[in-house]
Amino acid sequence: MKTDFIPVDYDYFDFKGRNYIKIIGRDSKSKRICVIDSCPIYFWAILKDKIKQEKIKNIIKKIEKIKLDVKGRYTKVEKVEIHEKNFLGRKVKALKIFATNYKDLHDIADKLGMPEIEKRRGYDIGFITHYIIEKKINPLCSYEISGEVLNNSQDFGGIDMSLDVDICIKLESSKKIDNKKFTPSILSYDIETDELKLGEGEILMISLVSENFKKVITWKKTKEKKPTYVEYVKDESELIEKFIEYVKKISPDFLVGYFSDGFDLPYIKARAEKFNIKLSLGLDNSQPVFSRGINLTGKIKGIVHVDLLKFIRTAYAQYMKSETLSLNEVSKEFLGDTKKDFKIKHSSEIKSQDWNEYYEYNLHDSVLTINLFKKFWPDILEFTKTIQEPVYDVTRFGLSKYTESYILHNLEKFNEIPEKRPTYNEISFRKGIGGSKGAFVYEPNPGLYKKIAMFDFTSMHTSIILSHNLSKGTLLEKKEKDSYESPEIDIKGEKIRYYFSKEKGFFPELLKEIFKLRKKFKLEYKKNPDVVTYARSNAFKVLSASAHGYLAFFGARYYSHEASASVLAFVRKYNQDIIKKVGSAGYKVIFGDTDSVGFTLNNKSEKDVLNLLKKLNKELPEFMELELEDFYKRGIWVTTRSGTTGAKKKYALIDKNNKIKIRGFETVRRDWCKLARQIQNNIIKQILENGNEEESLDYFKEIIKKIKKRDINKEDLIIRTQLKKPLSEYKSITPHVIAAKKMQEKKIPISQGNLVEYYIAETRETKKLVRDKVKLPGEKGEYNIKYYLENQILPAVENIFQVFDVNIKEIIDGKKQTTLGDF
DNA sequence: GGTCCCTAGATACC
DNA sequence: ACAGGTATCTAGGGACC
């Protein structure tokens, strides 16, 4: 039969010793289809240069005889071909060695100890990735496929009968077609429990939300009238069974949770085990499979389990406003919606009339989760199509895997054999070398400036890679005629340069596509600024921006210390050149960090600035581009706390629409109390709007009075600090470690990654250390006036007022108000 | 017990 | 281990007096 087909989830199985791929997807009428397929299985043996034809024939004969009986499986080399290939851009002769089972490639490769074989490659890609590369049946793209329908067939051990799908097809041919509209069926879920430790408490309720479907399943009943979406069950075990029943009934393409890899799914699994319930969520009734290792991941066959938190962390976190990635904050930022206000208590302490609130709270978490998924769906789609890995992986990968997958799926265009993953020893070696010297940061002169312009390079590191063909494969051993030459790099006191070929390298070439998409989406966003274009623009900004990080990442297949060091040397050079040129064009440079330069216009016009920009761009190589970031009315730069130099990475700007941009100041740091942040924010705002400090000074004096009168809400004094390691690993016992210990004593859940909240209180004893004054928000106590004045408020405003020669410390101390004249 | 200097730790910028 | 380097700032920790 023939049908259209959109692949969603990929899996594989062995049948009679051979590997088969099993793709679950949909047709355009939303029928669920399972496609069974296979592909050639092989890896590469790269031959040393100048091996005689006769010798090669002998080697091939030898290799063809390799048979293995490992892991209870009989496998053999089925055929060997010789090919002209490229490896890291170099022309090589390579043997393509076909075998029975992908899992045995590594063992076969180990048997190839012949001295004529230089390298063995392509056995460590993973079967699903290998299949997608080989057959080009990419996730979430549309295909017209034809094949034999398996209907109660004994083929593959009767696989079609064990799968809950509409059609099961043994693939014969496929053709990529224009993308059909795919509206995935989504089910979000969330559980509420009495304990946070996996499986240690009872599951009280589970909420499920899908299109036109809202449900809270619970065995905790209220005496009040329950909402219609609440369904009662007898007990916890029936709750789990009901959950399975609904998942199977709705049978979504995506089962979505928030932190569900680390909590919801493993929790349900643990409780199901306790009650001897088979958690048969898979389309083949299999149970979720959890990865070993520190990072738990839960996989369900046929249904893509998505933990949205992971995707957001990789694809968005660094450009988000949210200070944490909690469901509440992320929902606020992306949906303008929040979690329901409900203070979670142990179920034994919940009164009958409060259960309705708890149900609603639980339900709403699933509502937020599904809405977030919908919000991010365009990005998941774009990433998946670009990276060409299954959604399950795309939503869990880190940045290095994004880049690497993109490369692996596109190597064939360059006739390239894939590089292998680094071994443990190689990783140790790479770590040993350490990193390279990074970007240049200009030291600003503190002050309040007017009429400022900012230029920055678009995707600077990536454009440098493209312009200078930098990569592992294009690196030359020595200088050649007409090669790219890096600026001088200082390596242990020795000045050296690296050289790169001008022949197109696959790595820079591949980056071009990402680079172009990034540009395109950025433009789209500028033309049509909405949440979707914004999100997409940001997503490709992330992908494009991580190219250099990939080169320098010790776990990367295409790691190159030389290329990375060269990128950074170019970054320094181009930025410093621009700073120089802007200066000699008659502007006063006040700022510069990595890829940007800020300067005052002096007597020049904005038109002059734009002309300068045009001129500077003409002098840049292809792909590199300097753009106007914006014009600003005013900007303020301060000294460092020690007061000796201008602080880098700390400044604030105001544009013509009075929009304020603050970088680095305490205002934007989540580990300062709200009070200090708000005061600083207000003062910065007033100063930038007014152009002087007068209003701020009055405001500040009022606030000081309030603090001294203890007229400040405790909520505004709470300090939040993340616990970045397990409590036992801290060498120095800081206030936030003490706060975490207190939480442990009080049995308040706290673990690595959580934010610790505390305030500094007055203590009877004259204890010196700050940590001795730490109290948890729930603990009774008075805030420590001295601490907040001297350690929170003063540091936040002191060097801002210093720009106007106002000594704020004397105001805090209650001494005479003073200006420079009194010094 | 106070001062000085250094390190650990968190968080920001790009 | 799961993109990179640069920078600021606090509080603790140890040496020294």
Side-chain angles (χ1 to χ4, degrees), chain A residues 184-192 205-217 229 242-244 246-248 250-260 264-265 268 281 300 303-309 327 331 335 359-375:
Chain A
S185 137
I186 313 153
L187 177 64
S188 64
Y189 75 116
D190 180 61
I191 66 171
E192 303 300 334
M205 56 186 94
I206 302 183
S207 61
L208 292 167
V209 172
S210 187
E211 206 68 34
N212 304 319
F213 179 84
K214 284 183 179 179
K215 183 72 71 187
V216 169
I217 315 163
Y229 59 77
K242 202 81 193 173
F243 168 69
I244 299 170
Y246 275 119
V247 172
K248 294 195 98 59
I250 295 163
S251 197
D253 296 301
F254 299 103
L255 179 66
V256 188
Y258 201 85
F259 191 46
S260 52
D264 302 67
L265 198 58
I268 295 171
L281 296 171
I300 301 168
I303 292 174
V304 183
H305 178 230
V306 174
D307 182 348
L308 253 192
L309 170 65
L327 179 60
S331 301
L335 306 172
Y359 303 148
E360 202 192 339
Y361 170 89
N362 178 225
L363 180 73
H364 200 62
D365 275 6
S366 285
V367 170
L368 294 176
T369 302
I370 198 167
N371 287 340
L372 278 175
F373 183 88
K374 287 179 186 168
K375 194 98 181 175

Side-chain angles (χ1 to χ4, degrees), chain A residues 6-29:
Chain A
I6 298 166
V8 180
D9 190 45
Y10 293 68
D11 189 20
Y12 64 91
F13 63 95
D14 277 14
F15 183 66
K16 292 184 177 164
R18 292 190 174 273
N19 307 122
Y20 292 92
I21 205 90
K22 185 168 79 181
I23 312 171
I24 307 289
R26 298 274 182 185
D27 69 7
S28 50
K29 292 177 194 96

Side-chain angles (χ1 to χ4, degrees), chain A residues 369-426:
Chain A
T369 302
I370 198 167
N371 287 340
L372 278 175
F373 183 88
K374 287 179 186 168
K375 194 98 181 175
F376 287 121
W377 174 244
D379 306 281
I380 294 175
L381 198 66
E382 289 302 323
F383 268 120
T384 301
K385 285 182 182 170
T386 309
I387 293 165
Q388 301 177 41
E389 285 286 317
V391 180
Y392 179 84
D393 300 294
V394 167
T395 54
R396 283 171 179 78
F397 278 171
L399 293 173
S400 66
K401 279 276 183 70
Y402 276 7
T403 310
E404 192 151 282
S405 300
Y406 179 78
I407 296 168
L408 288 177
H409 283 279
N410 286 285
L411 282 178
E412 214 192 70
K413 293 179 198 162
F414 300 88
N415 197 30
E416 267 277 330
I417 292 173
E419 176 58 295
K420 67 169 169 49
R421 282 200 296 259
T423 61
Y424 182 80
N425 284 341
E426 279 165 316

Side-chain angles (χ1 to χ4, degrees), chain A residues 15 55 77 94 116 140 150 164 176 185 189 231 246 278 289 372 402 445 449 460 584 629 683 751 818:
Chain A
F15 183 66
K55 196 97 195 211
V77 171
E116 295 82 3
L140 303 184
L150 301 178
D164 182 23
K176 195 161 193 293
S185 137
Y189 75 116
E231 181 174 340
Y246 275 119
K278 193 178 172 220
V289 179
L372 278 175
Y402 276 7
N445 279 319
Y449 296 90
M460 190 189 205
S584 48
E629 203 261 341
I683 288 175
S751 56
T818 176

